[in-house]
């Protein structure tokens, strides 16, 4: 009898998790009812990101800060890039859209201009980097002719979208927890890399760091935003889970060092292969510290 109750509890929990994808999908009588949870579902939901455990400074035996690049052209990183079309449903958004919407609505406030989180930025500060408004030659002729307003067809607006994001840069801290005897990773910041809005339509684009988000501040927003699960669409995975569990491929492009945290490309110039080898060397140096702890 106890075994039956245990199985019922397990299946009910699995059903509750599965309903997070498109709640009420099979019971809806109109499309507007899709995604609406029942009162029982709202009560049973505990939809919050898993809290980080407290780590005392004395428990950190070794620590190293690294910066990495996530290339969105790699297949394993597609969940962070797609969907670029926002007309397929309100529950399907890209990581870029989740971040920018969170900043716009004030849910993400810890936004900075660099990875050291020195200069804070508001949505108004980054808004100029997200769109460009230009005037055609015909519009300029209207201005020169003395017209107070320009015809709408002569005003061109270019907006950065999720399709324009080529990479994400992340900053994280690897540390060895001597209390648990385990090498761990804590994500500290994330930054979308996009073309400069003033060069996005040209052949030679200038790529910039759009903004840096202090990751712990964005966890609630990224937990609510779900990425598509290609293996089981009824069990989506949140962006918070993907990033914290490192379900992506990345390359280290910088580590903290005595030379002012210089990038690998600054001392491995004009040789992409050597830069990749150096990136792997930095990664192995961190991993070897954990394995060396068990050598006597």
């Amino acid at each position: 009898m106890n075994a039956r109750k245990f199985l019922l509890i397990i299946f009910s929990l699995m059903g509750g998790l599965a309903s997070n994808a498109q709640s009420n999908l099979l019971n809806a009588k109109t499309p507007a009812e899709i995604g609406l949870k029942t009162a029982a579902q709202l009560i049973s939901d505990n939809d919050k990101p898993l809290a980080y455990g407290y780590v005392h400074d004395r428990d950190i035996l070794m620590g190293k800060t690294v910066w990495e690049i996530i290339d969105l052209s790699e297949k394993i990183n597609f969940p962070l890039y797609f969907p670029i079309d926002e007309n397929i449903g309100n529950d399907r958004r890209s990581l870029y859209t989740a971040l920018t919407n969170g900043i716009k609505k004030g849910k993400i406030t810890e936004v900075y201009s660099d990875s050291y989180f020195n200069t804070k930025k508001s949505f108004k500060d980054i808004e100029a980097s997200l769109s460009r408004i230009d005037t055609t030659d015909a519009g300029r002729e209207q201005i020169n002719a003395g017209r107070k307003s320009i015809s709408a067809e002569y005003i061109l607006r270019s907006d950065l979208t999720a399709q324009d994001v080529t990479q994400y840069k992340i900053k994280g801290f690897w540390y060895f927890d001597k209390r648990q005897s385990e090498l761990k990773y804590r994500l500290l910041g994330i930054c979308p890399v996009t073309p400069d809005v003033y060069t996005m339509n040209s052949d030679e684009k200038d790529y910039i760091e759009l903004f840096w988000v202090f990751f712990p501040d964005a966890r609630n927003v990224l937990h609510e935003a779900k990425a598509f699960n290609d293996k089981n669409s009824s069990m989506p995975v949140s962006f918070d889970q993907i990033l914290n569990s490192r379900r992506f491929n990345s390359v280290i492009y910088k580590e903290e060092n005595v030379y002012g945290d210089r990038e690998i490309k600054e001392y491995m110039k004009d040789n992409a292969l050597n830069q990749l080898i150096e990136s792997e060397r930095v990664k192995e140096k961190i991993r070897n510290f954990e394995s060396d702890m068990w050598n006597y």
Side-chain angles (χ1 to χ4, degrees):
M1 194 66 179
N2 291 333
R4 289 183 60 187
K5 288 183 179 179
F6 178 75
L7 289 174
L8 286 173
I9 293 172
I10 293 297
F11 284 122
S12 63
L13 289 174
M14 291 176 64
L17 290 172
S19 64
N20 287 337
Q22 285 184 319
S23 300
N24 208 36
L25 175 64
L26 303 180
N27 301 316
K29 295 181 174 60
T30 63
E33 295 180 2
I34 298 176
L36 297 179
K37 295 184 178 181
T38 63
Q41 285 177 317
L42 293 173
I43 293 173
S44 63
D45 278 349
N46 184 19
D47 199 18
K48 294 181 180 179
L50 185 64
Y52 291 144
Y54 177 76
V55 181
H56 199 284
D57 291 342
R58 290 180 297 181
D59 294 334
I60 301 176
L61 189 61
M62 181 278 297
K64 172 69 74 172
T65 302
V66 295
W67 289 257
E68 301 168 81
I69 292 177
I70 302 174
D71 189 351
L72 297 182
S73 63
E74 297 184 32
K75 187 175 181 180
I76 191 174
N77 298 330
F78 280 178
L80 301 177
Y81 179 66
F82 291 101
I84 56 176
D85 182 6
E86 297 187 356
N87 296 320
I88 60 175
N90 294 328
D91 59 332
R92 298 278 303 278
R93 291 291 183 267
S94 66
L95 175 58
Y96 171 78
T97 303
L99 288 173
T100 52
N101 285 347
I103 297 172
K104 186 176 182 180
K105 295 177 181 178
K107 295 181 179 180
I108 300 176
T109 57
E110 298 301 314
V111 184
Y112 297 84
S113 60
D114 56 51
S115 61
Y116 296 97
F117 312 116
N118 291 324
T119 306
K120 200 168 184 178
K121 302 177 74 174
S122 64
F123 181 75
K124 289 184 179 180
D125 296 329
I126 67 174
E127 196 171 12
S129 303
L130 301 179
S131 61
R132 173 191 178 187
I133 299 176
D134 203 356
T135 307
T136 63
D137 292 337
R140 295 187 183 94
E141 291 177 1
Q142 288 185 344
I143 296 175
N144 295 332
R147 293 190 56 174
K148 294 183 179 180
S149 60
I150 306 174
S151 302
E153 64 267 21
Y154 299 141
I155 298 177
L156 301 178
R157 182 183 179 93
S158 301
D159 295 316
L160 285 176
T161 63
Q163 185 176 1
D164 299 313
V165 183
T166 58
Q167 301 172 343
Y168 281 100
K169 290 185 177 181
I170 59 173
K171 176 184 179 181
F173 185 70
W174 287 98
Y175 65 97
F176 188 85
D177 190 334
K178 68 179 182 181
R179 185 180 294 273
Q180 299 185 17
S181 299
E182 185 179 359
L183 183 67
K184 295 184 178 181
Y185 177 78
R186 182 69 60 84
L187 183 58
L188 300 177
I190 185 168
C191 166
V193 178
T194 64
D196 189 340
V197 70
Y198 292 96
T199 64
M200 60 185 298
N201 295 323
S202 62
D203 295 333
E204 296 184 1
K205 298 181 176 63
D206 294 329
Y207 291 91
I208 62 171
E209 297 178 356
L210 200 57
F211 52 80
W212 278 90
V213 173
F214 188 62
F215 185 77
D217 179 62
R219 290 196 65 203
N220 287 326
V221 171
L222 297 184
H223 183 74
E224 295 174 359
K226 307 298 182 182
F228 182 72
N229 186 349
D230 192 37
K231 297 181 179 179
N232 185 357
S233 60
S234 68
M235 296 286 289
V237 183
S238 72
F239 289 119
D240 178 68
Q241 292 172 321
I242 290 177
L243 293 168
N244 272 309
S245 59
R246 294 186 61 87
R247 292 172 58 178
F248 54 80
N249 188 48
S250 63
V251 176
I252 296 175
Y253 72 93
K254 183 169 70 169
E255 64 168 331
E256 58 178 353
N257 53 63
V258 70
Y259 303 102
D261 296 349
R262 65 178 180 178
E263 297 185 17
I264 291 175
K265 66 180 181 181
E266 294 180 17
Y267 60 93
M268 292 286 183
K269 298 181 179 180
D270 303 325
N271 194 321
L273 178 58
N274 284 345
Q275 291 173 11
L276 288 174
I277 293 174
E278 177 67 8
S279 174
E280 288 299 315
R281 186 194 67 81
V282 174
K283 187 184 299 182
E284 287 301 315
K285 180 174 64 174
I286 297 172
R287 289 177 176 173
N288 288 340
F289 185 88
E290 181 184 29
S291 61
D292 291 343
M293 294 297 297
W294 301 102
N295 293 332
Y296 298 97

